[in-house]
Amino acid sequence: MQEREKMSSIDLKAYMNNLRKNPKFTEEMLKLVEADLQYGLTIAETEMYTAKRLDYAQMKVYSACLRNGYPENVRECITKEGLTGEQMAVALEFYEKGVPIETVEEITGNSGQTAFAMKKLFQNVIAKLQEAGKAAQAQEGYAKELLEQIKSVVEKIEFQEKRYDALNEKLKEIQTAGQDAKVQSNLLAQLSEKDGMLEKQQNELNEARVTIARLRNEMDGIKKERDNLEKRMEEMEKSKAAQEIRTAQGKPVTEKKKESLPEEKQERADYPALPNASYHLAVMEGNGKVVSFVPVERMERKKESHTVSALFSRFAFRKKLDIVKLVAEKDLEPKQLMQVRSAIEKGLSEEQLLVLINKQIPAEQMEEIINIAVYENRQKQEG
């Protein structure tokens, strides 16, 4: 074989610099091309695989075919379009071990099978050759030639055993990659589920905010009603005080029951009984004659006013404490906001609410603490 001339270092450097401008070539590919040119391949020969859309493993098999000087039909069979780099490597091994190119072409014709499956097919071919050798032992000339071929193929198989082991490792990596894809799919499904939970929590938070706004409006309405009621009670107290002053100036005589009124009052038709009056004050002249009777309500009305005031006293602290602003600053979760609302409805004090909100404890613990606070408040009231 005629020795090939190597490129000069200047031409090689210029060509490689120009090749590096192409972003599709990796560093491994560039090193392979440079090594082939230094080996003696021409630029036209390296362009046989650089011009195609091949990965590094495929280029490496094509380069081996060029270095070994295999004819074009052999190269096209081994590097057939659609085969992976591993499949091309197995086909090259078949051919180098003496398997006829027709058999190699038949096996590589199905590009859908893996390199591992190709190995099995190759082993089956070798097994058939061995069986054929045993059957032809009786024929001296043909049998000896065939046995020598079988021995040669078997020796090459044993020599290439380590390469098949490496191929098995590569297949395991491919299987692992498939498992990683399954894990990734599971993670995406979990992420989708988390997005759904987050959307649900956001909806709960929005509902809690609407509830807080509604409670705030109700609190404002209760405050107005309380102010109106206190104003009315104040007017009633003033009216009662004025009435007592007028009664005192008239020197009244107090009688405890309507039934014990003087006989003169009971006989007179112009003094009807007052259903809301519990006491009557008799206004008398200087000679002791009764002029008129003034009804006086029971003192329980005052006690009733204090009871009404007590009903609204638990809302008085809300005038000082902005609950909406406080819970917004603490960035509570929807379940925690629901517990705060429950605490307000159950009448917890300002101090108890501040502790509940500022501690930012879980909603489950909030519920138990609220129950304890309600029990404690009830004990204080009974005590």
Side-chain angles (χ1 to χ4, degrees), residues 7-122:
M7 293 179 63
S8 65
S9 59
I10 297 177
D11 293 339
L12 178 61
K13 186 176 181 180
Y15 179 75
M16 294 305 301
N17 288 338
N18 185 53
L19 204 63
R20 284 189 173 86
K21 296 179 181 179
N22 193 332
K24 80 171 185 176
F25 295 118
T26 64
E27 192 63 26
E28 290 179 328
M29 294 177 181
L30 294 172
K31 288 182 179 180
L32 177 63
V33 174
E34 186 175 7
D36 285 344
L37 293 174
Q38 290 176 345
Y39 178 79
L41 296 182
T42 63
I43 293 177
E45 288 175 326
T46 59
E47 286 178 349
M48 289 181 182
Y49 60 81
T50 57
K52 296 182 178 181
R53 301 180 63 180
L54 302 177
D55 58 22
Y56 173 73
Q58 294 169 328
M59 286 184 178
K60 192 173 181 180
V61 175
Y62 206 107
S63 171
C65 292
L66 291 172
R67 289 193 181 201
N68 293 330
Y70 295 151
E72 182 178 358
N73 65 321
V74 175
R75 294 198 308 268
E76 294 299 327
C77 177
I78 294 174
T79 61
K80 184 181 297 183
E81 184 178 359
L83 296 178
T84 64
E86 289 79 10
Q87 291 171 328
M88 290 181 181
V90 172
L92 179 60
E93 288 177 5
F94 289 3
Y95 182 75
E96 289 177 348
K97 291 174 181 177
V99 177
I101 190 64
E102 293 79 11
T103 305
V104 174
E105 185 174 8
E106 181 181 354
I107 295 174
T108 58
N110 183 9
S111 60
Q113 60 187 353
T114 63
F116 182 77
M118 286 185 176
K119 176 184 175 182
K120 291 293 184 182
L121 291 174
F122 177 67

Side-chain angles (χ1 to χ4, degrees), residues 212-213 215-217 219-220 315-330 340 344 350 353-354 357-358:
I212 290 174
L215 289 174
R216 190 171 184 178
N217 292 333
M219 288 163 54
D220 292 340
F315 296 103
F317 70 90
R318 300 179 190 176
K319 184 176 181 181
K320 304 176 182 178
L321 178 62
D322 193 338
I323 299 177
V324 177
K325 180 179 179 182
L326 182 58
V327 296
E329 290 175 351
K330 297 299 180 181
V340 171
I344 295 174
E350 177 180 0
L353 276 178
L354 286 174
I357 296 173
N358 289 330

Side-chain angles (χ1 to χ4, degrees), residues 294-345:
V294 179
V296 179
E297 295 181 353
R298 290 178 181 269
M299 291 303 294
E300 280 77 6
R301 290 181 60 88
K302 185 174 183 180
K303 181 177 180 180
E304 181 185 4
S305 66
H306 292 302
T307 304
V308 175
S309 298
L311 291 175
F312 294 94
S313 62
R314 65 189 185 100
F315 296 103
F317 70 90
R318 300 179 190 176
K319 184 176 181 181
K320 304 176 182 178
L321 178 62
D322 193 338
I323 299 177
V324 177
K325 180 179 179 182
L326 182 58
V327 296
E329 290 175 351
K330 297 299 180 181
D331 194 20
L332 299 181
E333 296 180 355
K335 292 184 179 179
Q336 292 174 316
L337 292 173
M338 294 174 67
Q339 293 301 329
V340 171
R341 183 186 66 182
S342 175
I344 295 174
E345 293 174 348

